[in-house]
Amino acid sequence: MKLLNRLTIKHLLMNKKRTIVTIIGITLSTALMVGIGLLVSTFLQAMIDDAVSSSGSYHAYFDEVTKEEVSEIKNHLEVEKTYSYGVVGFANINSTNDYKPYLFIASADDTYFAHEELLEGRYPTNEEEIVIPSHLKANGEVDLKIGDTITLEIGPRVQEGIQTYNNEITMSYVYDEETGEAIVGERIEPKMTKTYTVVGIINRSKSENYSAPGYMAFTTKSNDIVSYRTYVEYKNVRKTYETTESICENLNLTYCREHDSLLYYYGISRYDNVNKTITSLLAIVLSLLSVGSIIVIYNSFAISTMERKKSFGLYSSLGATPKQIKYTVFFEALVVGLIGIVLGVLGAFLGIYIVIQVLNYLIADSWGLTLTFTVNPYYVAIPILFMIVVIYISAFIPAKRSSKVTAIEMIRENDEIKIPRKKVKTPKWVRKIFGVEGEIALKNMKRNKRKYRITLLSLFISIVLFISFSTYLKYGLSVTELTDLPAYDIVISTSNQEIMNEIESNALVNDMYVSKFGFAEYTVEDTSIYQDDYFKFLTEMEYDPNNLLQMTAIIIEDDEYEKLALNYQIDNETILFLNDIMYNSYNNGNRHSYHTSIFDTELNTMKLCGSVEDSCVNAKVHFVENNEKTQQFENYFHDQYTPTIFVSESLAKKYGIFTSYDLDEAANYITIYSEEYETLYNELEKKYQNTIDGYLSSPRITYEQEKNNVLAIKILMYGFIALVTLTGVTSVFNTIYTSIHLRRREFAILRSVGLSPKGFQKMIFFESLFFGLKSLLYALPVSFVIILLIANSMGYTFTFDGILIPWGSVIAAIVGVFLIVLLTMMYSSSKIKKENILNSLREENI
């Protein structure tokens, strides 16, 4: 065995090019598989850490439960950990934030406090002490410091006679019938008076939603608890939804919630179609990569055994057994596999580390988190084990086949060429177009099918992988990439005329547009004119298409509306209706995203109604399709998630249906253009963050951040495409180069009987053309089937205008396959043409 091992090593060293190419193929396949594992583990851990840091590590929680129910939940067979807080009640705190006027007081212990972040001071030790959140001062302008005492009247919130201790129920408002103004529709009903000493300040509690009406503060060991909230972590996270539902039903609880944002990164979703999309896309990707790796590595060993046939024959004639022949192939697989896997793992670690640093540079600001290179042993070990199995199988088949061939067949190297009883025929057009050289080449292919199948297989899988991953890129960018650059740079809403004047006089403002928001309801007599997808959405959401449906009205000044109306050749009495909408549908356990028209047919008039009964008008409308929007139209702030109309201010006042308040006192939505938008945004944010009565944002900054997100996706996808393509090209080069190399004697014979250099070139060209056409004949249909599978998988969750086909990649694949084959064959044959004919006839490949 030692002798055979030495001969194997000698063979690998003597055939350095083929050995290096084989090792490169294994290295690239390993790097691709391990790299995916490292990326998945890094991204998943980052997402999980972010979800845990923002809202906690729980899998589900149960609100408004009793002490006895807390005990039953804790003792449930599927529950691994629990932590709870008790609800004491709400108290008015004199906050300047009208939407958050309360202090929500809860009682907790050390188990719960371990999930909160103490910024200053200490946690309470008795029921007379309290810790308050830091944003009570920043957001509500309530200035309490450590050591201060505060006396509070505590009780439930009462809404329309109904008591609640739930801090997730938002503020209740009602409309004054006379003025139409929105006023608070709830109050605190005091049950007790408590005096607390502030002993610490915590960060915003993970248990406090941003829409919660109460700032969450904690005391401890309280005897005044009215109910509990219990957080749980399950033993089997994949059964979270089933277990939570079971506990809710058994205890007859009414408020149970799962931690959807965290569970999503464990690969669990309450929406079946999202699960189907993720599962099917992963299955396609892993199948493609697995098949690609198997074929690339199998081809390497298949052509290696072909190259060593004569050597194996000599070994057999000197007494080597079939078992020893197989062992020799396995030893070669061990050597090149070990080198390739080690290099692949090292390359994956280095490459993914660099990619993560690049991604952090691009997306850290927009994502609000930094990726940390994370190695999950499972995601590394499984790809390595997979590669070991692939290498073993790839070596086993050629080894078994070689051990069955007789010594004389291997020495003569004629076991690969099958000569049928009937004469091998070729079409007449082959000889007419390509001459006798083309006919000889085609006959040789028909007799020596095994070698040519290996070459075709390499080309086939390379084309399929390239087009498939290009399809993933196209769909990925269609889902994530912004369709248009935002027209304006900054948007700010305020009813403060002084702030508006200051903004208008700011030297950094190049231009600004002002509009106001209103709401109306609309209806149509014939519901058949609704676009099918939108009608389906209305019925899924249980909206009655025959009744009034809500829309948003963008109200702009008359002179500006007149300019806008000129673009659509309408007068100021006509309303612009946007016949374009995006929305998410949640129905029957599915979540689906749509972008569609509202109506199939344009209308000249629409019945629009206000909030007051019977306040309706038949308004003239002009439909604006998505592809008809003008730049001026986009100057005004609006979204695409509700049906939207544009109307002049005078017409809005005339109809009197869009607002229930004085239009002149309504908040203004100001869109701003600025060449120095980042500087201006920072200045406005710093100046108005505590005084503005609306909000401030920069679509341009968001756009730039999202462009970086798209760039990050492109880097990842193009990286995978490059690796896949390089792996395929390596396999093709290895296969064709070795095939040509093994045919030196055949070419030498043809040259010795008069084959001219021009004829030789014609023969090589014909073979290249044959390989390219035949590989495309098989690969393109399979690629289109995979495109359909990907489209079907994406269709579970998203809606696209037809099937997205990466035609550029298809054309690149068609051109590339001919180019790669021709260049490889020309390179290989150029080496042979330089050789002496007699040496080629005598040369042995040992």
Side-chain angles (χ1 to χ4, degrees):
M1 288 295 185
K2 289 184 179 180
L3 177 61
L4 290 176
N5 290 346
R6 286 201 301 270
L7 289 172
T8 300
I9 296 295
K10 185 177 180 181
H11 167 78
L12 293 174
L13 293 173
M14 289 180 64
N15 295 271
K16 290 179 183 178
K17 288 184 180 178
R18 192 200 59 76
T19 303
I20 290 171
V21 172
T22 302
I23 290 174
I24 289 174
I26 296 173
T27 299
L28 291 173
S29 298
T30 305
L32 191 60
M33 301 297 284
V34 175
I36 289 175
L38 290 172
L39 267 180
V40 169
S41 61
T42 297
F43 271 95
L44 281 181
Q45 193 58 51
M47 297 298 104
I48 289 170
D49 290 345
D50 184 58
V52 169
S53 67
S54 61
S55 52
S57 61
Y58 65 92
H59 300 152
Y61 69 83
F62 306 90
D63 215 352
E64 299 180 356
V65 296
T66 65
K67 190 173 184 178
E68 292 73 21
E69 288 168 340
V70 171
S71 180
E72 288 191 52
I73 293 170
K74 186 175 182 179
N75 295 324
H76 193 279
L77 290 174
E78 291 293 333
V79 173
E80 184 173 12
K81 295 179 183 177
T82 65
Y83 57 98
S84 307
Y85 67 76
V87 177
V88 177
F90 293 90
N92 283 304
I93 196 65
N94 297 321
S95 165
T96 58
N97 186 340
D98 294 335
Y99 299 97
K100 213 174 183 71
Y102 309 130
L103 196 66
F104 178 62
I105 303 149
S107 173
D109 56 18
D110 292 342
T111 305
Y112 180 85
F113 283 136
H115 298 270
E116 298 294 345
E117 182 184 357
L118 184 67
L119 301 177
E120 187 179 347
R122 60 177 175 82
Y123 287 117
T125 58
N126 58 65
E127 62 179 326
E128 281 79 35
E129 296 177 342
I130 195 170
V131 290
I132 60 173
S134 59
H135 67 303
L136 179 61
K137 180 179 179 180
N139 182 268
E141 298 184 356
V142 178
D143 191 8
L144 287 174
K145 300 181 289 296
I146 293 176
D148 290 351
T149 58
I150 181 171
T151 300
L152 302 170
E153 292 185 338
I154 303 169
R157 297 158 58 199
V158 180
Q159 300 176 344
E160 298 181 354
I162 299 174
Q163 293 185 359
T164 180
Y165 283 95
N166 195 324
N167 197 32
E168 293 201 353
I169 298 175
T170 56
M171 290 287 293
S172 172
Y173 291 90
V174 295
Y175 288 95
D176 188 295
E177 293 184 1
E178 294 182 1
T179 65
E181 293 182 358
I183 57 176
V184 175
E186 64 177 70
R187 60 184 173 84
I188 300 294
E189 188 175 278
K191 299 289 185 182
M192 60 182 169
T193 301
K194 297 279 290 186
T195 299
Y196 294 102
T197 300
V198 178
V199 296
I201 297 175
I202 61 171
N203 205 348
R204 175 195 285 268
S205 174
K206 296 181 178 71
S207 300
E208 180 190 319
N209 285 346
Y210 282 89
S211 59
Y215 299 93
M216 199 164 183
F218 293 94
T219 184
T220 190
K221 298 178 182 178
S222 176
N223 296 318
D224 304 310
I225 295 172
V226 295
S227 66
Y228 290 86
R229 173 182 281 193
T230 298
Y231 294 88
V232 299
E233 294 181 25
Y234 295 117
K235 294 174 182 176
N236 187 347
V237 66
R238 298 206 156 270
K239 291 184 178 180
T240 293
Y241 291 105
E242 298 92 325
T243 307
T244 303
E245 184 179 355
S246 173
I247 292 174
C248 270
E249 290 179 356
N250 292 339
L251 298 180
N252 196 27
L253 303 179
T254 57
Y255 208 88
C256 312
R257 294 290 184 272
E258 295 86 359
H259 194 174
D260 292 328
S261 60
L262 176 62
L263 296 175
Y264 181 80
Y265 298 116
Y266 286 124
I268 308 165
S269 173
R270 66 168 66 251
Y271 304 109
D272 293 336
N273 65 321
V274 175
N275 290 329
K276 286 181 181 177
T277 297
I278 294 171
T279 303
S280 55
L281 289 177
L282 283 175
I284 294 170
V285 169
L286 293 176
S287 298
L288 285 171
L289 290 175
S290 300
V291 171
S293 298
I294 290 169
I295 290 176
V296 166
I297 296 171
Y298 169 76
N299 285 352
S300 296
F301 289 107
I303 60 179
S304 175
T305 53
M306 287 181 190
E307 194 177 50
R308 298 183 65 191
K309 281 289 179 66
K310 182 166 285 189
S311 300
F312 292 156
L314 292 173
Y315 299 163
S316 296
S317 66
L318 295 172
T321 63
K323 185 177 180 180
Q324 289 174 321
I325 297 296
K326 279 198 288 187
Y327 172 83
T328 300
V329 178
F330 284 129
F331 181 75
E332 178 182 341
L334 175 66
V335 173
V336 296
L338 186 62
I339 297 172
I341 289 176
V342 170
L343 291 176
V345 171
L346 292 175
F349 272 74
L350 178 61
I352 298 304
Y353 178 80
I354 293 172
V355 166
I356 288 172
Q357 302 312 308
V358 173
L359 292 179
N360 280 333
Y361 175 77
L362 292 173
I363 65 176
D365 290 337
S366 58
W367 284 23
L369 59 88
T370 301
L371 297 175
T372 302
F373 185 68
T374 303
V375 181
N376 186 320
Y378 293 103
Y379 288 107
V380 176
I382 291 173
I384 291 175
L385 289 174
F386 172 78
M387 293 306 301
I388 291 172
V389 172
V390 168
I391 291 171
Y392 174 80
I393 295 173
S394 300
F396 175 79
I397 297 172
K400 187 175 181 181
R401 185 179 292 139
S402 297
S403 65
K404 290 182 178 180
V405 182
T406 63
I408 190 66
E409 284 182 318
M410 286 192 283
I411 293 172
R412 293 173 61 188
E413 293 183 319
N414 64 354
D415 65 302
E416 297 289 338
I417 300 176
K418 306 297 181 183
I419 302 178
R421 294 179 181 178
K422 295 182 179 180
K423 183 180 178 182
V424 177
K425 295 183 179 179
T426 57
K428 293 182 180 179
W429 61 266
V430 172
R431 185 160 191 159
K432 286 183 179 179
I433 297 175
F434 298 97
V436 68
E437 298 88 355
E439 186 176 17
I440 293 171
L442 185 56
K443 285 186 176 182
N444 186 61
M445 291 178 192
K446 289 188 174 186
R447 292 192 181 103
N448 199 358
K449 290 182 179 179
R450 186 176 294 170
K451 289 181 182 177
Y452 291 98
R453 282 174 184 163
I454 292 173
T455 305
L456 288 174
L457 202 56
S458 295
L459 288 166
F460 167 83
I461 197 62
S462 300
I463 297 167
V464 171
L465 286 174
F466 179 76
I467 294 176
S468 300
F469 273 87
S470 298
T471 305
Y472 274 108
L473 176 63
K474 192 171 185 67
Y475 273 98
L477 295 180
S478 297
V479 171
T480 59
E481 192 168 22
L482 295 176
T483 54
D484 294 300
L485 180 70
Y488 43 84
D489 303 315
I490 298 171
V491 61
I492 185 170
S493 69
T494 181
S495 58
N496 189 318
Q497 188 63 43
E498 184 180 341
I499 292 178
M500 286 186 61
N501 294 337
E502 288 177 3
I503 293 172
E504 190 171 11
S505 61
N506 192 306
L508 296 178
V509 174
N510 298 123
D511 206 352
M512 58 181 277
Y513 293 83
V514 181
S515 62
K516 297 181 180 182
F517 266 64
F519 297 94
E521 294 177 321
Y522 70 96
T523 185
V524 294
E525 294 181 0
D526 181 11
T527 58
S528 65
I529 67 173
Y530 278 112
Q531 204 274 345
D532 289 343
D533 279 339
Y534 188 68
F535 188 84
K536 181 181 177 182
F537 164 71
L538 293 176
T539 54
E540 283 180 355
M541 299 301 292
E542 298 183 356
Y543 295 144
D544 187 351
N546 295 291
N547 289 337
L548 294 171
L549 299 171
Q550 194 174 66
M551 65 165 52
T552 300
I554 310 300
I555 303 166
I556 61 179
E557 297 173 353
D558 291 357
D559 55 343
E560 292 298 324
Y561 190 83
E562 188 175 346
K563 295 176 186 177
L564 182 61
L566 285 174
N567 289 316
Y568 300 98
Q569 298 179 347
I570 60 173
D571 55 38
N572 283 17
E573 298 289 312
T574 302
I575 292 172
L576 289 168
F577 178 86
L578 307 192
N579 192 32
D580 179 62
I581 191 171
M582 295 189 297
Y583 55 89
N584 292 323
S585 166
Y586 300 86
N587 186 55
N588 297 327
N590 290 329
R591 181 184 68 195
H592 209 94
S593 298
Y594 292 90
H595 186 180
T596 182
S597 300
I598 299 172
F599 297 108
D600 273 335
T601 305
E602 289 193 11
L603 300 173
N604 294 320
T605 62
M606 287 183 69
K607 184 179 180 181
L608 307 180
C609 300
S611 57
V612 181
E613 189 175 354
D614 296 329
S615 59
C616 299
V617 296
N618 285 317
K620 291 192 298 181
V621 294
H622 177 81
F623 274 48
V624 180
E625 302 296 341
N626 189 48
N627 60 351
E628 295 177 335
K629 293 178 184 177
T630 63
Q631 174 68 34
Q632 187 185 5
F633 180 88
E634 294 295 329
N635 286 335
Y636 297 95
F637 175 70
H638 65 281
D639 62 50
Q640 289 182 285
Y641 296 95
T642 55
T644 305
I645 58 173
F646 273 63
V647 60
S648 67
E649 191 169 317
S650 61
L651 190 61
K653 289 179 179 179
K654 175 183 175 181
Y655 287 154
I657 62 172
F658 298 114
T659 62
S660 56
Y661 46 82
D662 189 344
L663 191 60
D664 293 328
E665 296 179 2
N668 296 285
Y669 288 81
I670 308 162
T671 56
I672 301 169
Y673 289 85
S674 173
E675 293 179 2
E676 300 181 43
Y677 59 89
E678 288 189 40
T679 304
L680 177 60
Y681 178 77
N682 292 332
E683 179 183 314
L684 294 176
E685 185 178 42
K686 184 177 180 179
K687 188 172 183 179
Y688 299 123
Q689 61 180 348
N690 293 321
T691 59
I692 192 172
D693 55 347
Y695 73 93
L696 170 69
S697 67
S698 174
R700 176 62 70 98
I701 293 175
T702 302
Y703 174 82
E704 296 298 333
Q705 291 174 341
E706 292 189 2
K707 273 208 313 185
N708 286 340
N709 292 346
V710 173
L711 180 59
I713 292 172
K714 285 183 177 180
I715 289 172
L716 287 175
M717 293 304 297
Y718 281 128
F720 282 126
I721 291 173
L723 266 178
V724 166
T725 304
L726 189 57
T727 304
V729 169
T730 302
S731 176
V732 170
F733 176 84
N734 190 13
T735 307
I736 295 177
Y737 179 82
T738 306
S739 177
I740 295 291
H741 186 68
L742 291 173
R743 294 169 62 191
R744 285 175 297 171
R745 182 178 292 179
E746 172 194 333
F747 292 138
I749 292 172
L750 291 172
R751 289 162 64 195
S752 68
V753 295
L755 182 66
S756 66
K758 185 178 179 181
F760 184 74
Q761 293 284 9
K762 188 186 290 188
M763 185 175 174
I764 293 298
F765 176 78
F766 175 80
E767 291 192 22
S768 302
L769 184 65
F770 176 84
F771 283 135
L773 289 174
K774 198 154 189 179
S775 60
L776 289 170
L777 180 66
Y778 294 125
L780 289 179
V782 173
S783 298
F784 281 108
V785 169
I786 293 174
I787 289 173
L788 290 175
L789 291 175
I790 294 173
N792 184 62
S793 299
M794 297 296 291
Y796 289 130
T797 304
F798 303 99
T799 299
F800 298 95
D801 294 331
I803 297 172
L804 303 183
I805 300 175
W807 289 112
S809 298
V810 172
I811 294 171
I814 293 172
V815 174
V817 72
F818 288 111
L819 194 62
I820 291 169
V821 171
L822 185 61
L823 290 176
T824 304
M825 294 195 76
M826 293 296 289
Y827 170 77
S828 305
S829 59
S830 66
K831 301 288 184 180
I832 292 174
K833 285 192 293 185
K834 294 177 182 178
E835 293 180 353
N836 185 279
I837 294 177
L838 289 176
N839 290 339
S840 296
L841 290 171
R842 291 183 303 181
E843 188 174 337
E844 304 291 345
N845 181 42
I846 298 178

